[in-house]
Amino acid sequence: MSQVSFNLNPEAAPAEKASSPWRDAWKAFRRNKTAMLGLGIILFFIIIALLAPLIAPYDYKEQVLMDRLKAPSADHWFGTDDLGRDMFTRIIYGARISLWVGFFSVIGSIIIGTILGVLAGFYGKWIDMLISRLFDILLAFPSILLAIAIVAILGPSLQNALYAIAIVNVPTYGRLVRAKVLSLKSEEYITAARAIGMKNTRILLTHILPNSLTPIIVQGTLGIATAIIEAAALGFLGLGAQPPEPEWGKMLSDSRQFIQKAPWTVVFPGLSIMLTVLGFNLMGDGLRDVLDPRMKN
């Protein structure tokens, strides 16, 4: 007769980690090489922005007119601009400005857009009509022209540029959240929550908002890239950061007359904008592939 043995030691059994949607999403995200490349680019710029005082060899405001428009060398890795300021130092400090504008303008757009989108989608009727018409009015203008108009009214400054970028992007998040709320409030678990007497505020906070996070996260990641480009465009037009702040778009504007004589003054700020936007776009595409059920096989 054969003997059957049983392992009664629970510690000997292999323990499986509890699965969750966010953990599964992170595993799928890590398998996406282009998304990880985008994340790496973003982390690189965040690190150099945080460590700018330790990395930068010079003061970004320091002017040495004897060294103006010097080509890249061992003393000045990215060369110098028309005032003799070190381009490498100004690029590093410029990362702080671009990331700051990108992150906080998108956060402001998400907060305002989410509140308006939830009110329009959940309560409907005249509230929905009023908010939807507001979105339509804002979307009727090209975003950069509307941003220029807002900054022209408020006055040229980096802070006002941030406000303008946040305002022009509110309809994007508002309409996204509104559409999601309209689809969620007809679900059976929302009907069940109403049936047991749950208040609207609790339904919004415990059911509607948590289930609306996925499209907001994806659009927010892609929106940071758009915000950085818009901030650079406003800076290029002289409506964003003001001298001597080292904003990449302003650096491009100040150096455009030296494209042939000193091309490095244009190349390095342009490359910085391109790489940062590329990083957020790659990561945003990866998040969309992972979090959007329609993109899954």
Side-chain angles (χ1 to χ4, degrees):
M1 178 181 292
S2 61
Q3 295 182 348
V4 179
S5 61
F6 297 93
N7 186 0
L8 300 179
N9 185 4
E11 295 181 356
E16 295 183 0
K17 291 184 179 180
S19 178
S20 69
W22 293 109
R23 184 177 287 113
D24 294 340
W26 170 241
K27 290 180 180 178
F29 182 84
R30 286 188 302 176
R31 291 194 293 266
N32 190 324
K33 294 182 179 179
T34 57
M36 291 301 294
L37 174 62
L39 178 61
I41 294 173
I42 295 169
L43 290 177
F44 170 75
F45 278 100
I46 290 176
I47 290 172
I48 66 171
L50 293 175
L51 301 180
L54 301 177
I55 299 174
Y58 302 95
D59 184 353
Y60 71 86
K61 294 180 289 186
E62 182 181 359
Q63 301 180 16
V64 183
L65 297 181
M66 295 293 293
D67 293 338
R68 63 190 304 268
L69 297 179
K70 278 196 171 183
S73 63
D75 294 330
H76 302 282
W77 292 355
F78 289 179
T80 61
D81 63 6
D82 60 312
L83 296 176
R85 296 173 296 193
D86 183 64
M87 289 291 296
F88 178 70
T89 300
R90 291 179 64 78
I91 290 293
I92 290 175
Y93 277 94
R96 284 185 161 188
I97 295 176
S98 292
L99 292 175
W100 181 76
V101 171
F103 279 116
F104 284 97
S105 63
V106 168
I107 290 173
S109 298
I110 288 176
I111 292 174
I112 299 174
T114 299
I115 293 174
L116 295 177
V118 166
L119 292 176
F122 191 78
Y123 292 102
K125 298 180 181 178
W126 66 269
I127 297 178
D128 184 17
M129 183 185 67
L130 182 63
I131 295 176
S132 296
R133 296 298 79 77
L134 175 63
F135 290 162
D136 291 339
I137 292 172
L138 292 176
L139 289 172
F141 298 92
S143 59
I144 188 63
L145 292 181
L146 182 58
I148 291 173
I150 294 173
V151 175
I153 294 172
L154 299 178
S157 72
L158 183 63
Q159 186 174 4
N160 291 339
L162 187 151
Y163 294 153
I165 295 170
I167 291 172
V168 300
N169 288 306
V170 163
T172 301
Y173 300 96
R175 297 184 73 175
L176 185 67
V177 173
R178 175 183 175 275
K180 188 66 177 179
V181 171
L182 287 175
S183 64
L184 287 175
K185 74 175 187 178
S186 60
E187 295 288 338
E188 293 182 357
Y189 64 89
I190 300 297
T191 305
R194 292 182 185 276
I196 62 176
M198 187 177 293
K199 295 182 179 180
N200 288 336
T201 304
R202 188 177 177 186
I203 292 175
L204 287 173
L205 295 177
T206 59
H207 296 297
I208 300 294
L209 281 179
N211 287 290
S212 302
L213 287 178
T214 297
I216 296 175
I217 292 173
V218 174
Q219 184 59 42
T221 307
L222 296 171
I224 293 175
T226 304
I228 291 174
I229 293 177
E230 291 173 344
L234 291 174
F236 186 85
L237 296 173
L239 299 175
Q242 300 300 303
E245 295 298 323
E247 198 273 323
W248 291 338
K250 181 62 177 173
M251 293 169 68
L252 285 174
S253 177
D254 294 340
S255 303
R256 57 185 173 179
Q257 56 184 318
F258 307 112
I259 293 178
Q260 295 182 342
K261 183 179 179 181
W264 57 86
T265 59
V266 176
V267 169
F268 291 113
L271 281 176
S272 301
I273 296 172
M274 185 204 72
L275 288 175
T276 307
V277 172
L278 176 65
F280 280 106
N281 282 336
L282 291 177
M283 191 177 76
D285 289 340
L287 287 174
R288 181 190 59 192
D289 295 342
V290 169
L291 299 177
D292 191 346
R294 294 172 297 181
M295 302 299 296
K296 297 180 181 179
N297 293 326

